[in-house]
Amino acid sequence: MSKRNLALIGATIVSIIYGVTFTIAKDVMPLYIDAYGFILLRAGGSVILFWLAWLFMPKEKIARNDFPRIIAAAFFGVAFNMLTFFKGLSLTSPISAAVIMVSTPMIVLTLSAIIMKERMQKRMVLGIVLGLIGTAFLILYGKSIGSATNAGLGNFLVLVNAISYGFYLIIVKKLMDKYNAFTFVKWIYLFGFIMVLPFGWSQFQTVNWALVPMDICWKIGFVVVFSTFLTYLLNLLSMKELKPTTVAVFIYLQPLFATIFAIGLGKDELSLVKIVSAILIFIGVYLVTQKKN
C-alpha cells in the first residue's frame, strides 16, 4: 500500500474518532467536569504520552528559529483550539458542533491560497462544495443529542475553533516537511499545556473524583488517549503525504460519523436525508483527495 493511501486511511480514522468524541465528551461535560478543567486533563495527559513516546523515537535537534512556529502551533492547535471547542461543545449539541466544524476546509482553502499561494483545482472546489451541501442537510435535519444550554454561543465558539484549527494546519505543515512528528509535537503540547493551565486549574481542582462513575473515567481516558494523542499523531503523519486542504476536507466525515454513532446508541434515527447527505459527503471527499495525474 502506498504512503498516500496509508495517509488517507489515517485521516479517515481521525474523522471516525472525532465523530465519536462529540458524544463521549458531551457525556463528561459539564456534569462531572467543566470544559476548561477537562482541557487541562486532556492536554496534560497528552504531554505525558508524547514525551514517553519520544523516548523511543530517533532524536532530532530543533533549530532555534523554529520555536516561534512551534509556539504558534501550540496556541492555534492546542490552547485556543481546545478552549473554544470544549467550551462550545459544553453549550451546544454534539451533532451541531460536528457540523459546524466542516467550515474548516473552506477556511484552510482560503488560508492556503493567501498564505501558501496554493492553487486550487476545479474538482477540489467542487468536492468542498458538495461536502458543504451534504453537511447543510445534516444541519437542517440532524437530531440533537442531549441538552444545549446556550446553542448560539456554543456554535460560535465551535466556529472560532474551526478557524483556529485551520491556522494550525497551515502553520504545522512546514514543521512536518522538516522534522519527524515526534520531534516537535511534544513541544507543541508542552507549550499548549502551559497556556491552558491558568484557565483550567481552578475547574480541575473542583472535580470530586469520588463521585465520578467508572464509565465516565473510561470516557475521559478515551478523549485523552484516542481523541488527542492518537488523532494528533495520525493527522501529523497524514500531512507528510497530503496537503493541508486535503487533510481538512476529512472533517466533512465527522458529522457523518457523529450521526452514525448517535443512531447506534438509539439517540437518532436513519432517514433518506441522512443517506443523501452521506453520499454527497463521500463524493466530496473523493474529489478532493484524488491525486492529480
Side-chain angles (χ1 to χ4, degrees):
M1 188 178 291
S2 69
K3 290 182 179 179
R4 179 179 171 80
N5 287 338
L6 285 173
L8 293 173
I9 291 171
T12 303
I13 292 172
V14 168
S15 293
I16 294 172
I17 294 174
Y18 276 148
V20 171
T21 300
F22 287 103
T23 299
I24 289 178
K26 184 71 176 178
D27 289 342
V28 179
M29 303 180 301
L31 183 59
Y32 296 102
I33 181 169
D34 284 325
Y36 294 164
F38 197 5
I39 291 165
L40 183 65
L41 190 62
R42 182 183 182 186
S46 298
V47 167
I48 295 171
L49 291 174
F50 278 119
W51 278 86
L52 285 175
W54 171 77
L55 295 175
F56 303 96
M57 297 296 162
K59 305 300 183 289
E60 289 178 294
K61 187 175 181 180
I62 298 176
R64 185 174 296 179
N65 59 357
D66 282 327
F67 273 98
R69 181 176 288 273
I70 289 174
I71 293 172
F75 176 77
F76 288 109
V78 179
F80 193 58
N81 174 284
M82 287 189 184
L83 289 171
T84 51
F85 173 71
F86 268 52
K87 186 62 177 178
L89 181 60
S90 70
L91 298 173
T92 188
S93 67
I95 288 181
S96 294
V99 169
I100 291 168
M101 281 299 293
V102 303
S103 61
T104 301
M106 298 297 252
I107 295 166
V108 174
L109 185 68
T110 304
L111 293 175
S112 295
I114 295 172
I115 300 173
M116 300 176 68
K117 310 298 182 185
E118 187 176 307
R119 193 165 174 265
M120 293 293 102
Q121 300 172 43
K122 290 182 179 179
R123 64 167 172 77
M124 294 182 71
V125 176
L126 176 61
I128 288 175
V129 171
L130 285 176
L132 197 58
I133 293 172
T135 53
F137 278 109
L138 284 180
I139 289 175
L140 295 172
Y141 298 99
K143 183 180 177 182
S144 296
I145 304 174
S147 59
T149 56
N150 191 342
L153 178 59
N155 292 339
F156 173 74
L157 289 174
V158 173
L159 178 61
V160 172
N161 151 76
I163 296 172
S164 176
Y165 189 67
F167 271 107
Y168 163 76
L169 290 178
I170 300 294
I171 291 168
V172 83
K173 179 60 176 172
K174 285 191 176 181
L175 294 172
M176 283 303 307
D177 294 338
K178 193 172 181 179
Y179 303 106
N180 178 282
F182 283 100
T183 301
F184 63 86
V185 74
K186 68 183 188 296
W187 288 108
I188 288 178
Y189 264 88
L190 180 60
F191 288 129
F193 173 73
I194 294 170
M195 291 175 189
V196 302
L197 190 58
F199 297 91
W201 180 247
S202 60
Q203 291 187 0
F204 178 75
Q205 283 186 307
T206 61
V207 178
N208 188 345
W209 291 102
L211 299 179
V212 178
M214 184 55 66
D215 66 308
I216 296 298
C217 290
W218 280 109
K219 289 177 180 179
I220 292 172
F222 178 90
V223 172
V224 172
V225 178
F226 291 95
S227 305
T228 311
F229 174 73
L230 184 60
T231 54
Y232 269 75
L233 186 60
L234 287 175
N235 258 340
L236 289 171
L237 296 176
S238 296
M239 288 183 70
K240 274 283 190 183
E241 303 297 326
L242 306 173
K243 293 180 180 179
T245 45
T246 304
V247 174
V249 83
F250 276 86
I251 290 173
Y252 279 145
L253 294 174
Q254 291 182 22
L256 175 64
F257 290 127
T259 302
I260 291 173
F261 187 63
I263 291 170
L265 293 178
K267 297 182 178 181
D268 206 343
E269 56 185 13
L270 190 63
S271 65
L272 180 60
V273 171
K274 292 187 177 65
I275 294 173
V276 172
S277 299
I279 293 171
L280 288 173
I281 290 170
F282 276 118
I283 292 174
V285 172
Y286 174 80
L287 289 173
V288 173
T289 56
Q290 285 304 291
K291 197 171 183 179
K292 185 178 179 181
N293 293 328

